[in-house]
Amino acid sequence: MNISATINRRDALLTLGAFGAATALPGLATAAPSPNEGAAFDAAVADAPWLAPFKGLDDHDPSRTDLLCESLTVTGRWPAELRGRFYRNGPALFERSGQRYHHWFDGDGMVQQFTFSGRGVSHVGRLVRTPKLAAEREAGRFLYPTFGTGIQSEAPMQGPDSINVANTNAIEHAGRVLAMWEGGSAYALDPKDLSTLGPVTWKEGFEQVPFSAHPKLDAAGHLWNIGSFGDKIVVWHIDATGKLAGVQVGESPYPNGMAHDVAITAQYIVLPLPPVKMNYGAIAKGATPEQAFDFQRQEPLRILVMNKDDIRERRVFEMPAQMVFHVANAHERRDGSIALGFVGAADHEFLIHGAVALVAGHVLGTPGATLQSAVLDMKTGRASVEALPGVVEFPRVDPRRIGAATRHVASATSWKDHSARHGALFHGVQLRDLQTGKVDRHDYGERMVVEEHIVVPKPRGSGELDAWLVGTTFDAKRKVTFVNVLEARHVSDGPIAQAALPYWLPLGFHGNFSAA
């Protein structure tokens, strides 16, 4: 029986209200923004030009909040078969009236759409028109608490979407673009011009229930996603037409923890739950991120495996404590066990310090996360995990093989001395062969900041290497953003083609490709 059938509208909204009340408390940073923080950032970034995109957009200048370039400058040979729309999303607005947010995750979201056609490459970028953005534009100042900045709310809170920044991922599905954030509704955009259509309510009684930022698209065109609030885990199933096929709500084995990314297999939802607790008492007192997010080293990294048909059928696996943001993929092996790839770090240093330093214009720390290969034995409940060499983040696989066996994982990476200058940013991209251990990688160079690169299958190919890697980079010397295309078989050769914008874009998080 679908467990959601036992939850009526009143209970769902009461539960959501408790979540909304928690997130509506004062922000997490040490103090509220001050009027001179914009100037302080400008001075700091003069010595760290690769951090310039963290300045963000100027909301007083319409030419820098809705971006349009009908023809990017293309160098190299753009593949004739590479046709479609490449989306990215990320925090883009950090400053109002000289006041700045204190954490990278706080900025209002901006979706980028690069269109690859026979006429070349074009770009549209638009801020997601959330109610939060509209209210703060009208007021000319910050009004709402955010993930990491101490702002006393000046407006009534109506649940999580009151502070929804829609800034983490974007995917085109069933005729609309979904801009997604960790703790509230997905926002629908029109793929024709990225105009905001509004928040998506998948089912009456589930308004504003979190639809997290990392849905997985299966071979049938169905989206699977999770959401978490308090002691609850939600599993969403959206069919290929964009309609709700099912929603289930169950108990979390780690209440008030962080559930960011999820993997799927043919039968299962596979959800990492790192040992990071939200300290709501500290948050209520205006705590710093370090005080508000408690990395409980004595607790394990939990992997919650749930049956897609009934999430009450579940197993919880335990591994040594790690911080996990992103998964690569998962699949069921012949013996019934589950292979899971994810990126893990020793602690939550980036969450509480690294992402704070970046928007202040400072370098703090170097990347420290590695690709992990785990095996979950569904018969015995035992788990094993191996850390693969190399510093990586933003793992991506062939989208045709999500939930099935994959041999290759693409990721952003750092390995040279100049990564220390960039801090927790990356200078290269790589493709790892999980069978042989071979790594094929390209160094974009010291002046470049490398963002997530995704795997785009070639139209007439079937193998994992019959693909391109497509991703963005920021050139700190020229102050422009590039879209890069690399051959998956020859990553070390570097881009076979690049398209240059006449401007830079804020550094973002995640995106996807929709073939024309």
Side-chain angles (χ1 to χ4, degrees):
M1 182 179 66
N2 189 323
I3 195 169
S4 66
T6 67
I7 299 180
N8 61 34
R9 176 181 174 86
R10 176 178 174 274
D11 291 339
L13 291 176
L14 285 174
T15 304
L16 178 64
F19 172 80
T23 60
L25 293 167
L28 311 185
T30 308
S34 61
N36 64 348
E37 288 175 340
F41 176 88
D42 294 340
V45 83
D47 296 324
W50 48 88
L51 300 184
F54 290 106
K55 174 68 173 177
L57 304 176
D58 183 354
D59 204 28
H60 294 94
D61 180 359
S63 69
R64 286 298 294 163
T65 56
D66 285 331
L67 303 177
L68 174 64
C69 180
E70 295 183 350
S71 182
L72 280 67
T73 301
V74 175
T75 57
R77 181 174 295 180
W78 197 272
E81 294 181 313
L82 181 52
R83 298 289 182 263
R85 294 166 298 281
F86 172 44
Y87 294 97
R88 285 191 53 72
N89 193 2
L93 186 64
F94 297 100
E95 191 171 314
R96 286 189 183 278
S97 302
Q99 298 179 336
R100 288 184 58 79
Y101 286 138
H102 295 165
H103 200 287
W104 188 13
F105 298 175
D106 289 350
D108 294 273
M110 185 181 203
V111 175
Q112 319 291 341
Q113 181 195 68
F114 296 92
T115 299
F116 309 153
S117 70
R119 297 183 299 276
V121 181
S122 63
H123 171 258
V124 175
R126 298 195 72 177
L127 287 167
V128 183
R129 266 56 171 185
T130 63
K132 172 189 176 296
L133 178 69
E136 292 181 337
R137 271 186 166 173
E138 183 176 356
R141 64 185 185 278
F142 296 135
L143 298 176
Y144 295 96
T146 61
F147 183 88
T149 309
I151 299 170
Q152 292 290 338
S153 179
E154 296 186 33
M157 304 293 292
Q158 304 296 329
D161 283 351
S162 292
I163 55 173
N164 190 337
V165 287
N167 70 0
T168 309
N169 200 356
I171 188 170
E172 185 176 334
H173 185 254
R176 57 186 178 181
V177 179
L178 300 178
M180 294 162 290
W181 175 65
E182 187 85 348
S185 303
Y187 267 77
L189 312 181
D190 188 334
K192 294 179 181 178
D193 59 5
L194 294 186
S195 57
T196 301
L197 304 176
V200 178
T201 297
W202 303 103
K203 180 180 180 179
E204 184 180 359
F206 282 74
E207 297 86 352
Q208 303 189 58
V209 171
F211 187 87
S212 197
H214 287 279
K216 295 298 180 288
L217 185 67
D218 68 18
H222 292 215
L223 283 179
W224 294 86
N225 201 4
I226 57 97
S228 67
F229 54 96
D231 62 352
K232 304 296 182 187
I233 295 290
V234 184
V235 172
W236 300 97
H237 177 196
I238 312 301
D239 70 19
T241 70
K243 304 297 184 183
L244 181 70
V247 58
Q248 302 179 67
V249 181
E251 303 296 320
S252 171
Y254 191 63
N256 297 321
M258 191 190 81
H260 182 70
D261 197 356
V262 67
I264 62 171
T265 73
Q267 297 184 72
Y268 300 110
I269 302 289
V270 184
L271 177 61
L273 296 169
V276 177
K277 283 278 191 181
M278 293 285 289
N279 185 339
Y280 290 120
I283 294 170
K285 298 176 182 179
T288 65
E290 188 173 13
Q291 295 166 332
F293 291 92
D294 180 17
F295 187 78
Q296 300 181 320
R297 297 181 184 276
Q298 76 281 6
E299 292 286 335
L301 165 64
R302 295 170 174 86
I303 309 293
L304 173 61
V305 179
M306 299 173 283
N307 189 297
K308 285 179 174 177
D309 294 331
D310 187 344
I311 65 172
R312 293 173 298 183
E313 297 180 12
R314 55 172 58 190
R315 264 193 181 278
V316 179
F317 296 85
E318 295 186 352
M319 302 179 189
Q322 291 192 66
M323 181 66 191
V324 178
F325 280 112
H326 301 122
V327 303
N329 198 25
H331 71 273
E332 297 162 37
R333 309 199 313 173
R334 291 182 178 179
D335 63 1
S337 63
I338 295 173
L340 171 67
F342 62 90
V343 172
D347 54 36
H348 65 335
E349 177 68 14
F350 179 76
L351 177 68
I352 62 173
H353 291 140
V356 173
L358 291 174
V359 294
H362 302 300
V363 170
L364 182 64
T366 57
T370 60
L371 184 64
Q372 313 275 313
S373 179
V375 176
L376 313 176
D377 190 324
M378 295 296 289
K379 297 178 182 177
T380 66
R382 297 191 183 96
S384 62
V385 63
E386 175 189 6
L388 305 180
V391 174
V392 302
E393 247 302 353
F394 304 125
R396 298 300 294 259
V397 300
D398 184 336
R400 298 167 299 187
R401 289 170 167 78
I402 290 175
T406 46
R407 179 170 173 173
H408 301 277
V409 178
S411 59
T413 182
S414 289
W415 67 92
K416 289 190 174 181
D417 290 342
H418 54 251
S419 65
R421 293 186 62 194
H422 287 188
L425 301 174
F426 299 93
H427 64 82
V429 63
Q430 74 174 36
L431 195 68
R432 174 176 287 277
D433 187 325
L434 297 176
Q435 289 187 13
T436 67
K438 179 183 176 181
V439 173
D440 189 12
R441 66 191 184 187
H442 171 66
D443 181 10
Y444 278 97
E446 181 177 3
R447 75 187 195 194
M448 305 295 283
V449 176
V450 176
E451 300 188 271
E452 176 187 72
H453 282 48
I454 68 172
V455 180
V456 178
K458 295 182 177 180
R460 290 192 287 270
S462 59
E464 288 185 57
L465 296 181
D466 296 325
W468 301 284
L469 301 189
V470 178
T472 46
T473 52
F474 168 68
D475 186 326
K477 182 177 181 179
R478 295 172 58 183
K479 299 294 191 295
V480 297
T481 296
F482 288 86
V483 179
N484 307 275
V485 181
L486 300 87
E487 286 280 358
R489 292 186 185 276
H490 306 287
V491 175
S492 59
D493 291 346
I496 60 172
Q498 292 181 302
L501 283 163
Y503 41 75
W504 55 263
L505 300 176
L507 296 179
F509 294 139
H510 307 289
N512 294 276
F513 182 77
S514 180

